[in-house]
Amino acid sequence: MQSVPTVYYVALSAILFTLGVLGVLLRRNALIIFMSIELMLNSANLVFVAFAREFGQQAGQVFVFFVMTVAAAEVAVGLALIVTIFRAKRSINVDDINQLKG
Amino acid sequence: MPVNVETVIFFLLAAMAIGAAVGLLLSRNAVHSALFLVLNFAVVSVFFLFLAAPFIAMVQVTVYAGAIMVLFLFVIMLLGAELLRGGASGRWHSALAVVLAAGFVGVLGYVAFFSGIAPEALPNVDAGFGGPQLLGMDLFQTYLLPFELTSLLLLVAMIGAVVLTRDARTRSAAGPGARP
């Protein structure tokens, strides 16, 4: 039935994760950086599910469930922070947010 | 490499997922980025269906592609931030980031392909594997404490979001103890 080797899923997940890292490194828009973080979390989920299938264990899928919950909480708080920062500075460029810089 | 329908579909979908991720990175309009991310999440949920995780696939569509991305689009449009350039990073910075990312994916790929993961012979799984019933049994028996803790986490996140986005005016009007 299932014939795509697990290692292909791991490789795809590695590529998606790296694209997320690139998004965090290259873009200066805080919203895009947040979306890239979601991309990384999602690629980790893909590998969890792939190994759950490989070993026939559901624990991996349960972990994906928890990761999704944490991602939802993180997005709620993060977007609230971004809205507050935008209100104060009229910008969501992460290079402008340097008031704590020594 | 076994060439069959499923492998072909896998590579088509993988190309779509990677293309959507690249679109997220490169598009100048934040709304387009968000829609590319929705496409990526949808494709990954199809992968979840392939991997015998139907419940997780549906949660992916409703929670990620539905709720979280609607929240993103809402904030983008609320701030009117769709066309903010966000400034360009320096050339050497970008080049260094690309080189480091290439090295990173190289290491990950090396580990993946030479780690001795069995390339074939996945075990057969039961009919209900990854379905709501068996997953619910796991969640409410083995993982009951973490499950309850996530409800606490969501409550804290909800309170945090409300407190953070309160206006300064309403904060000072809230009571004598409130800071100006």
Side-chain angles (χ1 to χ4, degrees), chain B residues 2 19 43-44 54 57-58 74 85 109 117-118 121 131 147-148 151 165 171:
Chain B
V43 173
V44 170
M58 292 305 122
F74 177 75
R85 285 295 309 272
I117 304 168
F147 182 78
E148 295 298 337
S151 65
T165 49
R171 194 174 303 167

Side-chain angles (χ1 to χ4, degrees), chain B residues 8-162:
Chain B
V8 173
I9 293 176
F10 173 84
F11 278 109
L12 283 177
L13 287 177
M16 269 177 80
I18 294 172
V22 171
L24 157 72
L25 243 89
L26 296 183
S27 92
R28 286 280 150 225
N29 189 328
V31 174
H32 295 173
S33 291
L35 293 177
F36 274 123
L37 192 56
V38 171
L39 176 63
N40 188 323
F41 286 162
V43 173
V44 170
S45 81
V46 177
F47 284 135
F48 287 167
L49 282 179
F50 271 159
L51 289 167
F55 180 70
I56 293 294
M58 292 305 122
V59 172
Q60 166 98 353
V61 170
T62 50
V63 174
Y64 254 125
I68 292 185
M69 291 320 293
V70 165
L71 203 58
F72 263 110
L73 285 171
F74 177 75
V75 168
I76 291 170
M77 291 175 181
L78 176 77
L79 301 184
E82 57 262 31
L83 287 178
L84 289 184
R85 285 295 309 272
S89 31
R91 283 188 65 84
W92 68 270
H93 178 205
S94 306
L96 183 65
V98 171
V99 169
L100 285 178
F104 183 60
V105 77
V107 170
L108 285 181
Y110 177 83
V111 170
F113 279 100
F114 296 96
S115 61
I117 304 168
E120 303 292 335
L122 289 169
N124 288 320
V125 289
D126 309 333
F129 183 81
Q133 192 180 1
L134 286 183
L135 214 55
M137 296 285 245
D138 263 3
L139 269 181
F140 283 101
Q141 287 172 356
T142 320
Y143 298 97
L144 183 60
L145 181 65
F147 182 78
E148 295 298 337
L149 284 179
T150 54
S151 65
L152 194 65
L153 177 74
L154 286 175
L155 178 69
V156 170
M158 198 167 69
I159 296 171
V162 170

Side-chain angles (χ1 to χ4, degrees), chain A residues 46-74:
Chain A
L46 181 59
V47 113
F48 263 126
V49 173
F51 278 114
R53 178 70 185 78
E54 163 100 13
F55 295 111
Q57 299 273 333
Q58 273 192 347
Q61 299 190 7
V62 176
F63 265 78
V64 170
F65 189 81
F66 290 137
V67 169
M68 282 178 179
T69 321
V70 172
E74 172 236 330

